[in-house]
Amino acid sequence: MDHAATTPLHPAVTEAMLPFLRERFGNPSSVYAEGREVRKAVEEARGKVARAIGAGPDEVFFTSGGTEADNLALLGVARALRGRGDHVITTAVEHHAVLEPCHYLEKEGYRVTYLPVDGTGMVDPEEVRKAITPATILVSVMHANNEVGTVQPLEEISSLCREAGVYLHSDAVQTVGALEVDVDHLGVDLLSVSAHKLYGPKGIGCLYVRRGVEIEAVLRGGGQERGMRSGTENVAGIAGFGVAMELAAAEWRERSSHVRPLRDRLVEGILGGIPHVRLNGHPSLRLPNNANFLFDYIEGEAICLRLDFLGIAASTGSACSSERGEASHVLLALGIPPEEAHGSLRLTLGRDNTMEDVDYLLENIPKVIEDLRAMSPLYPGP
Ligand SMILES: *Cc1c(COP(=O)(O)O)cnc(C)c1O
């Protein structure tokens, strides 16, 4: 129940990758047959990735994943447009893969506005409008949040950006395969995708860059990916990513209708069966597979460990911040006090989860919570 952290390979993805891990080892840049044949596979996969998000193949640049795509979008656009402006707008609830490059840009002399969100994690498009100045070169707002699942009003934000002539980037790592992701419907100029969040392999993803958008490479070298991302292509990863994207585009509705009732049962069961617990994020405008709870008087980390004993994989917030021991920046941005934010538990469902999985969790979690609370000196009782 931690599909927001990563997902297993879809069997069709594994099949598509195997030839490139075995016999088809050519370098796509080589002129001889082994290279040419692998180049063809890379370009076929690019076509699949592009079609899945309503883009052209020339607008897709393979990267090592979501983190690199986010870095390329932020640093690449900021540097390309340095002569025009020095101001970037993003939100307080972005993934670290967006926030850290923003902090780095500030060190390089750019100015960054981190927009607040409301108690559900939603950005107010009006705040975006107010933040845009003549010096603004880029707005970066994630499509849906990886911790609390809130889906942002991207279409509205994109019209504002269009009017102001400012590029819009979106981290869509959590939404491809879960919601409709079409670059024209969303109105984005740049979009980050990661394969391992959508039943593809780790270490591959892409940045969509709308034709004509000015952007500079970050990784420089042999000039692969039309100079935008040097380095010999991760061919097996790319082949798997292509198939994963084709399946995501074909199946996102089905996948959503599979996980939504499971998630709703989970939420009902936990809110109805356990005292002192709240749901974080937006009640309805959220990822169909995401449930994020706040349990009073206990640490989310302790719940995760106890669930692990029961064979249930869950996390507190994002997998990336759980090692830092700090309260989640997302929950803090929602206005939750730090001492309460430590009591969060994120459950994210996937295509392999069943109603039996949900029932198993619901049968076991009340005792886990009760036991942990019994050890807390602050707990007043149910
Ligand atoms: C997982 C994730 C990333 C990072 O993607 P990687 O491919 O693991 O580098 C970026 N943004 C969001 C919203 C994510 O959930």
Side-chain angles (χ1 to χ4, degrees), residues 4-5 64-68 70 95 97 142 144-146 171-174 193-197 203-204 320:
S64 64
T67 300
E68 190 189 327
D70 286 342
H95 191 276
M142 69 201 319
N145 186 265
N146 49 302
D171 177 333
V173 169
Q174 288 292 333
V193 184
S194 172
H196 78 96
K197 305 288 177 77
I204 187 74
C320 326

Side-chain angles (χ1 to χ4, degrees), residues 74 77-78 85-90 98 102 105 110-114 131 133 135-140 166:
L74 273 292
V77 167
D86 64 354
H87 181 228
V88 172
I89 299 171
T90 188
V98 165
C102 283
L105 283 174
Y110 293 84
R111 291 173 304 123
V112 181
T113 301
Y114 302 91
T133 73
T136 308
I137 47 180
L138 178 66
V139 173
S140 180
V166 173

Side-chain angles (χ1 to χ4, degrees), residues 119-306:
T120 70
M122 193 75 79
V123 178
D124 181 354
E126 187 53 24
E127 296 276 346
V128 178
R129 200 186 58 75
K130 283 194 290 192
I132 295 177
T133 73
T136 308
I137 47 180
L138 178 66
V139 173
S140 180
V141 177
M142 69 201 319
H143 192 190
N145 186 265
N146 49 302
E147 294 189 34
V148 296
T150 305
V151 180
Q152 301 296 349
L154 270 191
E155 290 92 338
E156 279 173 70
I157 294 170
S158 101
S159 339
L160 293 169
C161 292
R162 287 264 156 100
E163 273 169 40
V166 173
Y167 292 153
L168 175 62
H169 165 252
S170 186
D171 177 333
V173 169
Q174 288 292 333
T175 52
V176 179
L179 304 176
E180 189 200 28
V181 179
D182 179 292
V183 291
D184 288 337
H185 295 178
L186 293 174
V188 293
D189 301 296
L190 304 112
L191 185 104
S192 302
V193 184
S194 172
H196 78 96
K197 305 288 177 77
L198 50 110
Y199 307 97
K202 291 165 184 63
I204 187 74
C206 74
L207 181 66
Y208 155 79
V209 182
R210 186 175 292 281
R211 228 163 276 144
V213 164
E214 289 178 63
I215 180 166
E216 259 182 34
V218 171
L219 277 187
R220 293 151 195 268
Q224 288 88 346
E225 295 299 286
R226 290 145 287 148
M228 193 56 72
R229 201 284 189 174
S230 288
T232 301
E233 295 86 344
N234 172 359
V235 177
I238 289 171
F241 183 30
V243 171
M245 287 292 274
E246 193 173 39
L247 290 166
E251 294 180 359
W252 69 266
R253 279 187 192 82
E254 232 172 276
R255 289 181 189 173
S256 293
S257 28
H258 170 69
V259 291
R260 191 174 280 110
L262 303 187
R263 190 273 315 270
D264 290 347
R265 167 111 146 217
L266 200 55
V267 171
E268 263 176 47
I270 289 185
L271 297 184
I274 299 173
H276 310 293
V277 57
R278 284 164 282 168
L279 183 69
N280 291 318
H282 198 281
S284 57
L285 300 174
R286 67 189 301 142
L287 288 170
N289 74 330
N290 172 294
N292 187 311
F293 302 97
L294 205 59
F295 292 90
D296 293 337
Y297 312 110
I298 38 178
E299 299 270 323
E301 204 82 335
I303 310 174
C304 288
L305 291 173
R306 288 285 304 264

Side-chain angles (χ1 to χ4, degrees), residues 9-18 198-201 236 239-241 243-244 247:
L9 290 186
H10 189 292
V13 169
T14 314
E15 283 309 312
M17 293 176 72
L18 284 175
L198 50 110
Y199 307 97
F241 183 30
V243 171
L247 290 166

